[in-house]
Amino acid sequence: MSITNFSEMGLSDDVIRAVEDMGFEEATHIQSQSIPLILAGRDVIGHSQTGTGKTAAFSIPALEKIDPTQHKTVQVLILCPTRELAVQACDEIRKFAKYKQGIKAVPIFGGQQIDRQITALRQGAQIVVGTPGRIMDHMRRRTLKLDGIRMVILDEADEMLSMGFREDIETILADVPDERQTILFSATMSREIIRITREYQKEPELIKVAHEQVTVPSIEQLYYEVPQGKKVEVLSRLLDVYNPSRSMVFCNTKSMVDDLVSELQLRGYPSGGLHGDMKQAARTQMMNSFKKGQIDVLVATDVAARGIDVENIEAVFNYDIPQDVEYYVHRIGRTGRAGKEGRAFSFVSGRRQINELRDIEAFTKSKIELHAVPSSDEVLETRFRQVQASIVAAIQSGALEQYNTLVDALLEEHSSLELVSALIQLLVKKDDKDSLPNRNDDAVFAAEYGKNRHEIAGKHAPRTGRGVKRQGDFSVRPRRDNADFENIRLSVGRKEHVSASHILGAVAGYSGLPGSSFGRIEIFQDYTLVGVPKGSADAIVASLKDCKIMRRRAYARREG
Ligand code: ADP
Ligand code: MG
């Protein structure tokens, strides 16, 4: 059993106080295992995912190992892959060191004037945090002396290797004194990293930690790749499919709140807005109608929503990704209260926002899973089911005789089938023609989903094991199981520069099937294989007879 209490790890009071100031209540797994080992002088390999608190895992013991009598000597050298990470780690170290007299940490990275760094180093620092390239630079200029170094930490070693810093790292490690501790942290363990640990560490202790969950587990966090102009459509579909009794939608600007409220009202959703330009009386009134259930959807900015406490919010929508990571936690914390289930849906448009979402994941130590936007069929299916339920309920509640005369009159002119169908249509459409999902958008959403999914399947796969999960009441075909699929072959491939999103957009568009029904897409030089549901290959090939992808004619045939 490892110690999770910082005060039981043999740390100095100064550090314990600083940790308390930072609001860390318990040590994370990687921290509780590595801190005692590093304090004891061991070399350590820390293998754990992003967001598990690795910075503190090495900074805290590193600080404690500094010899305060040697305050002019660089004693700890920390290598980070990027300028941002170096600055971030340095800031965190300074926070842990705040009650320790005379401890100084200096960040050293490319892009900043070297003179400034030289001055900072000359003034004396015990800890240097930097990127390998710039550190090499200072070594060559002899502005960074390595002979007093007693500890080297490679943070995010895998990232450093993938950025091409291997030689620099090896040069640095070869130049620092042999009498030192070498600590390596990495989110993944490649053969190359293991080679480095073999060569430069002494009997290292490996600490491996599975991903830990820190945010409230009863909140299911999902995200959708949505083109900016389609967000209202996606929001409407999700409101229909999940049918939350009460939900909050967060936007980053006041004008977005106003626009969205009018859009939602047009589409027939009882909704209202809340933002900072509204008078207090109007805000209070809005809050009351939300609490009383007169509106189901409250659209708000972060500032206006501060301090709102309403029970039973079943869903929170991040219509825009919050500008501040901490807002995300505040936003989604409004659902799933008191052990109730809640869902948080985030909409992202474009690569930058996906990266922002990854930062949020790291910060919250949680998984936000990519989902496919429900297809228009799925939306209709839910509505049918709801209508069916309300009809059955009406029959069961009785007292229908009062309509007999009207029914008889209608039946003289129309068949009962016509009559019932017309009534159902009225119910399904909620008397509002605009509220039906737009079928044409299905292909767009499928393409976005495909694009994103394939990027994830490549680079980011180990970070967040994503799959498609059950959506509301629908089961969406799990996409990795190839047993349910057969392949069709399309005559375009890498040489035409097609991407998985082009392919998925085309096959979904021509076949009329939701993007979620397709399996693996493998792009080869001259052709592409697409997994289609077993038994459907011939029909899908037929639907693709006029298929064009990137303005090129693409021929489809059954594979095998
Ligand atoms: P990693 O390097 O593993 O990606 P970081 O060290 O950057 O993770 O930590 C991620 C976030 O978690 C930071 O905001 C950090 O302040 C916070 N954190 C780290 N340790 C703890 C802890 N024991 N309790 C609460 N928050 C923590
Ligand atoms: Mg880190």
Side-chain angles (χ1 to χ4, degrees):
M1 244 350 271
S2 52
I3 304 161
T4 60
N5 196 333
F6 284 106
S7 59
E8 289 167 20
M9 291 180 182
L11 299 170
S12 66
D13 289 344
D14 296 339
V15 169
I16 292 174
R17 244 170 90 204
V19 169
E20 273 168 15
D21 284 0
M22 289 180 73
F24 292 6
E25 288 173 2
E26 278 199 328
T28 64
H29 285 293
I30 194 85
Q31 289 162 359
S32 62
Q33 295 186 58
S34 59
I35 291 173
L37 281 168
I38 299 176
L39 282 177
R42 294 287 307 269
D43 281 5
V44 166
I45 305 170
H47 179 188
S48 76
Q49 278 184 300
T50 303
T52 47
K54 294 192 281 290
T55 316
F58 61 76
S59 318
I60 290 175
L63 270 178
E64 300 283 24
K65 303 249 11 165
I66 283 170
D67 177 356
T69 64
Q70 305 282 316
H71 65 276
K72 283 277 190 189
T73 310
V74 177
Q75 303 175 35
V76 176
L77 180 63
I78 302 169
L79 303 183
C80 300
T82 64
R83 154 204 190 127
E84 285 74 25
L85 288 170
V87 169
Q88 211 175 297
C90 193
D91 284 347
E92 194 153 331
I93 291 169
R94 286 172 177 165
K95 286 186 194 152
F96 292 126
K98 83 174 182 200
Y99 297 113
K100 276 202 177 273
Q101 296 299 319
I103 298 276
K104 244 177 96 180
V106 174
I108 297 283
F109 49 82
Q112 192 191 41
Q113 280 203 336
I114 199 151
D115 295 346
R116 264 179 69 187
Q117 297 173 352
I118 292 173
T119 313
L121 286 170
R122 202 173 289 142
Q123 284 166 352
Q126 307 83 32
I127 304 172
V128 166
V129 191
T131 48
R134 186 52 75 93
I135 286 188
M136 289 275 295
D137 231 1
H138 283 279
M139 283 165 56
R140 267 186 242 116
R141 292 165 184 256
R142 308 211 169 277
T143 43
L144 173 62
K145 298 201 181 59
L146 303 180
D147 36 304
I149 288 178
R150 293 134 45 111
M151 184 185 289
V152 178
I153 296 157
L154 309 180
D155 188 20
E156 318 256 357
D158 48 349
E159 284 289 325
M160 288 202 282
L161 291 183
S162 66
M163 293 179 66
F165 283 133
R166 192 178 58 90
E167 277 183 32
D168 289 355
I169 292 171
E170 296 199 277
T171 310
I172 296 167
L173 286 173
D175 276 11
V176 290
D178 270 348
E179 281 305 303
R180 58 141 206 266
Q181 252 177 292
T182 311
I183 318 289
L184 179 146
F185 280 92
S186 187
T188 56
M189 277 295 148
S190 63
R191 212 178 293 143
E192 221 182 344
I193 290 183
I194 291 162
R195 201 184 59 75
I196 288 192
T197 75
R198 286 231 183 87
E199 198 151 333
Y200 297 98
Q201 288 189 303
K202 294 188 195 97
E203 296 168 36
E205 185 86 24
L206 173 68
I207 303 170
K208 188 172 154 59
V209 174
H211 193 75
E212 45 186 322
Q213 191 88 22
V214 167
T215 37
V216 194
S218 61
I219 301 178
E220 192 183 355
Q221 302 173 64
L222 321 173
Y223 81 94
Y224 299 84
E225 249 258 279
V226 185
Q228 188 65 33
K230 299 287 180 202
K231 284 183 176 179
V232 184
E233 175 72 21
V234 176
L235 178 60
S236 310
R237 290 187 182 195
L238 292 172
L239 285 171
D240 286 351
V241 167
Y242 287 95
N243 199 22
S245 62
R246 233 183 233 144
S247 54
M248 282 189 79
V249 182
F250 286 93
C251 299
N252 288 353
T253 63
K254 296 168 201 164
S255 59
M256 190 63 110
V257 170
D258 287 336
D259 293 350
L260 181 56
V261 169
S262 3
E263 282 271 6
L264 286 174
Q265 285 172 348
L266 268 179
R267 286 168 178 249
Y269 299 96
S271 51
L274 204 63
H275 61 64
D277 280 355
M278 291 163 65
K279 292 244 162 60
Q280 189 54 50
R283 286 203 230 176
T284 312
Q285 201 186 356
M286 189 60 74
M287 280 311 304
N288 285 339
S289 24
F290 187 48
K291 278 184 185 161
K292 283 192 222 141
Q294 289 158 343
I295 57 171
D296 307 335
V297 185
L298 183 65
V299 185
T301 57
D302 291 290
V303 176
R306 198 168 285 163
I308 287 181
D309 190 19
V310 180
E311 297 197 339
N312 296 329
I313 294 177
E314 288 178 9
V316 166
F317 294 87
N318 294 303
Y319 199 74
D320 298 314
I321 294 289
Q323 274 140 2
D324 187 328
V325 180
E326 287 185 34
Y327 281 154
Y328 181 87
V329 181
H330 289 152
R331 288 178 177 185
I332 72 167
R334 301 185 180 282
T335 181
R337 291 232 171 134
K340 291 211 177 71
E341 292 239 333
R343 285 196 181 94
F345 303 88
S346 299
F347 296 173
V348 298
S349 325
R351 168 111 322 262
R352 215 188 74 200
Q353 292 190 3
I354 293 182
N355 288 336
E356 286 169 10
L357 202 73
R358 303 255 178 270
D359 291 343
I360 291 172
E361 268 188 320
F363 180 79
T364 57
K365 305 184 179 84
S366 61
K367 288 207 174 127
I368 308 174
E369 295 202 32
L370 172 65
H371 274 225
V373 173
S375 68
S376 45
D377 284 342
E378 288 170 330
V379 173
L380 286 178
E381 204 182 308
T382 334
R383 285 213 197 155
F384 290 162
R385 238 180 280 142
Q386 287 159 357
V387 166
Q388 189 180 5
S390 51
I391 292 174
V392 171
I395 294 171
Q396 282 166 352
S397 74
L400 297 175
E401 298 80 10
Q402 51 183 321
Y403 307 116
N404 283 354
T405 336
L406 179 57
V407 174
D408 287 340
L410 285 164
L411 281 175
E412 270 175 35
E413 307 262 327
H414 311 279
S415 75
S416 52
L417 180 65
E418 273 174 337
L419 189 55
V420 172
S421 305
L423 290 173
I424 287 180
Q425 185 181 59
L426 287 176
L427 285 170
V428 168
K429 285 193 173 177
K430 293 179 182 163
D431 293 328
D432 181 349
K433 287 200 181 76
D434 286 341
S435 77
L436 283 180
N438 183 354
R439 197 168 284 278
N440 295 335
D441 286 335
D442 286 350
V444 177
F445 298 142
E448 288 293 335
Y449 175 70
K451 182 169 77 191
N452 200 0
R453 184 173 66 88
H454 284 272
E455 276 163 8
I456 286 161
K459 184 161 179 238
H460 292 295
R463 213 156 143 177
T464 44
R466 283 162 215 277
V468 176
K469 296 220 308 203
R470 279 176 66 82
Q471 292 244 10
D473 293 322
F474 301 107
S475 66
V476 176
R477 191 181 302 279
R479 299 169 134 269
R480 283 196 203 112
D481 189 358
N482 284 312
D484 299 341
F485 295 103
E486 56 193 345
N487 276 331
I488 62 167
R489 177 196 280 250
L490 287 168
S491 64
V492 289
R494 248 197 316 270
K495 70 174 171 2
E496 281 86 12
H497 304 291
V498 296
S499 69
S501 65
H502 293 127
I503 301 283
L504 190 62
V507 293
Y510 283 94
S511 68
L513 290 172
S516 56
S517 49
F518 294 94
R520 255 231 312 260
I521 295 179
E522 291 174 280
I523 304 178
F524 297 91
Q525 187 63 20
D526 299 321
Y527 64 96
T528 298
L529 296 183
V530 182
V532 301
K534 253 213 173 105
S536 71
D538 289 331
I540 289 175
V541 166
S543 76
L544 291 170
K545 74 177 173 15
D546 297 320
C547 174
K548 277 194 183 148
I549 295 175
M550 292 182 83
R551 280 186 253 125
R552 230 170 230 278
R553 185 80 175 77
Y555 298 92
R557 68 171 166 82
R558 233 195 132 91
E559 173 73 4

